[in-house]
């Protein structure tokens, strides 16, 4: 395929863009016969996957190239093929096909009819030639992530659809702001003990939000680029908390020192530095946990992770900051 797809073409049937230039191997053939079939084919397209069909021409599996080349010549194709494969139905449109690439991260898919017969093959080059320009891209997975954003924008083109998709999660930010205001009012007596706490509250909240957002982005990236396995959450949590610990120590010490030099109140400076230390550790925990829970319950990571992470980070920061202040400054 020598052309790329524009946005207005994404509603077109995928079968119109499927290439018929592909190689189908017979399940009952031997590996030697399959290799001879490949050598004698006149295909002009890049061979990404070898699809296997039965005697009636129905798709039954796919053979990885490495397995085909390393198997015994007398082995049957059926014995080395993988039966679990993903195909695109012929009634899908290009936008739905694009979602297959994003979800499964394969480089090509067969397009099949209701009888599982292959009508053609559609590969990722159809959507953008830039996807195979590895000099400008760090890895193929990052391209799929970029496509995911594009699909979301294409599907939510009207202002109301974007509003309906995003606003429910922004309510979490509104709710957290209200809760934070109520919490600050609850600690009014503590504020009266040392007004400097109010001066640094914005800075403490900003640091917590920054760390939680950074940790959340790293966690989402990890989930997109690696296969989840048993214990992966604790692996990421341990790694990110060890990094956050250093950030918390450094930020807490610097801001605490600034507060002490400025106002000369050692106890208040310790509260500010200690509050930053505790809030950043909580922010790291939240940044890992929120996207993990959203992934567990199959919710939208891209839209929901940010508002929920920031909301919880703000609430936990206020609680940690003023709880420490109450314990130290209140007689």
């Amino acid at each position: 395929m020598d052309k790329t797809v524009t946005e207005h073409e994404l509603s077109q049937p995928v079968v119109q863009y499927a290439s018929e230039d592909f190689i189908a191997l017979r399940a009952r053939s031997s590996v030697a016969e399959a290799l001879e079939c490949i050598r004698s084919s006149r295909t002009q397209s890049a061979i990404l996957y070898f699809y296997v069909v039965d005697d009636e021409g129905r798709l039954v599996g796919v053979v990885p190239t490495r397995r085909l080349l390393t198997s015994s010549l007398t082995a049957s194709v059926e014995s080395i093929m993988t039966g679990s494969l993903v195909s695109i139905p012929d009634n899908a449109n290009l936008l739905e096909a694009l979602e297959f690439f994003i979800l499964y991260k394969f480089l090509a898919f067969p397009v099949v009819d209701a009888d599982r017969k292959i009508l053609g093959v559609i590969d990722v080059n159809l959507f953008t030639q830039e996807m195979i320009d590895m000099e400008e891209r760090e890895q193929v997975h990052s391209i799929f992530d970029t496509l995911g954003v594009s699909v979301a924008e294409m599907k939510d083109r009207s202002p109301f659809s974007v509003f309906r998709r995003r606003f429910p999660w922004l309510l979490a930010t509104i709710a957290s702001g209200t809760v934070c205001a109520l919490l600050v009012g609850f600690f009014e007596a503590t504020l009266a003990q040392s007004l400097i706490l109010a001066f640094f509250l914005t800075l403490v909240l900003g640091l917590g939000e920054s760390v939680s957002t950074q940790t959340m982005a790293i966690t989402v990236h990890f989930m997109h680029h690696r296969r989840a396995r048993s214990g992966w959450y604790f692996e990421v949590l341990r790694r990110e908390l060890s990094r956050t610990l250093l950030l918390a120590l450094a930020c807490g010490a610097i801001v605490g020192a600034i507060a002490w030099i400025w106002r000369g109140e050692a106890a208040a400076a310790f509260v500010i530095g200690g509050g930053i230390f505790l809030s950043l550790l909580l922010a790291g925990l939240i940044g890992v946990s929120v996207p993990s829970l959203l992934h567990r319950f199959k919710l939208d990571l891209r839209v929901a992770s940010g508002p929920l992470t920031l909301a919880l980070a703000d609430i936990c920061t206020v609680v940690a900051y003023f709880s420490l202040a109450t314990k130290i400054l209140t007689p």
Side-chain angles (χ1 to χ4, degrees):
M1 300 178 186
D2 56 359
K3 70 172 184 175
T4 57
V5 172
T6 58
E7 181 177 340
H8 73 275
E9 295 176 307
L10 289 173
S11 61
Q12 300 299 314
V14 67
V15 70
Q16 294 183 7
Y17 293 84
S19 172
E20 298 180 1
D21 188 17
F22 63 91
I23 298 176
L25 305 177
R26 293 287 179 178
R28 295 181 180 273
S29 300
S30 65
V31 170
E33 292 171 335
L35 292 174
E36 180 58 33
C37 174
I38 295 169
R39 281 193 292 266
S40 61
S41 66
R42 298 181 180 275
T43 178
Q44 300 297 315
S45 300
I47 301 175
L48 298 173
Y49 306 107
F50 295 104
Y51 298 107
V52 182
V53 297
D54 60 15
D55 294 337
E56 285 73 37
R58 293 172 300 196
L59 180 65
V60 293
V62 61
V63 177
T65 303
R66 181 178 181 277
R67 189 178 298 179
L68 182 65
L69 296 177
T70 58
S71 297
S72 169
L73 294 178
T74 58
S76 66
V77 172
E78 187 174 21
S79 66
I80 64 171
M81 74 178 187
T82 299
S84 57
L85 76 163
V86 181
S87 58
I88 299 177
D90 60 348
N91 58 358
N93 60 32
L94 282 179
L95 180 58
E96 292 167 335
L98 178 54
E99 291 177 323
F100 272 76
F101 286 97
I102 298 164
L103 181 61
Y104 297 102
K105 294 182 170 59
F106 293 152
L107 296 177
F109 289 96
V111 178
V112 300
D113 61 15
D115 296 323
R116 299 287 297 170
K117 293 185 177 180
I118 304 181
L119 303 180
V121 173
I122 183 169
D123 65 58
V124 75
N125 294 337
L126 175 66
F127 298 103
T128 169
Q129 192 65 29
E130 293 177 0
M131 294 193 65
I132 58 173
D133 188 359
M134 300 308 293
E135 294 180 357
E136 299 180 2
R137 301 287 186 174
E138 184 179 10
Q139 53 185 349
V140 171
H141 289 295
S142 63
I143 301 165
F144 284 112
D145 288 346
T146 302
L147 277 177
V149 175
S150 299
V151 169
E153 292 174 349
M154 292 171 189
K155 294 184 71 175
D156 294 329
R157 282 175 288 184
S158 71
F160 180 74
S161 62
V162 174
F163 169 83
R164 186 174 57 184
R165 184 168 180 255
R166 296 181 180 179
F167 182 70
W169 298 110
L170 293 180
L171 288 175
T173 303
I174 297 174
S176 70
T178 304
V179 171
C180 287
L182 295 175
L183 287 172
V184 173
F186 180 77
F187 289 105
E188 186 176 352
T190 303
L191 274 174
Q193 295 291 323
S194 181
L195 193 58
I196 191 175
L197 298 178
F199 298 158
F200 282 90
L201 178 58
T202 303
L203 175 59
V204 176
L205 287 171
L207 287 173
E209 291 174 351
S210 296
V211 170
S212 64
T213 302
Q214 292 168 358
T215 308
M216 175 205 70
I218 293 172
T219 304
V220 171
H221 179 85
F222 180 90
M223 290 189 294
H224 281 192
H225 292 261
R226 301 190 185 181
R227 296 192 176 189
R229 58 183 183 277
S230 178
W232 71 269
Y233 168 79
F234 295 101
E235 175 190 341
V236 176
L237 182 63
R238 178 188 57 79
R239 185 188 64 194
E240 292 307 314
L241 285 184
S242 64
R243 297 172 178 174
T244 304
L245 177 63
L246 297 176
L247 294 173
L249 285 171
C251 292
I254 292 173
V255 178
I258 293 172
W260 179 66
I261 294 172
W262 179 31
R263 303 289 290 209
E265 300 178 19
F270 178 79
V271 168
I272 293 170
I276 289 175
F277 177 78
L278 291 176
S279 65
L280 294 193
L281 288 180
L282 289 172
L285 174 64
I286 292 168
V288 175
S289 300
V290 168
S292 302
L293 287 173
L294 292 175
H295 177 71
R296 171 68 178 82
F297 292 105
K298 303 184 185 306
L299 297 175
D300 192 337
L301 288 178
R302 298 180 186 278
V303 177
S305 292
L308 288 181
T309 298
L310 291 176
L312 290 175
D314 284 345
I315 293 173
C316 290
T317 295
V318 170
V319 171
Y321 185 58
F322 284 108
S323 295
L324 182 63
T326 300
K327 188 169 185 62
I328 295 177
L329 299 179
T330 302

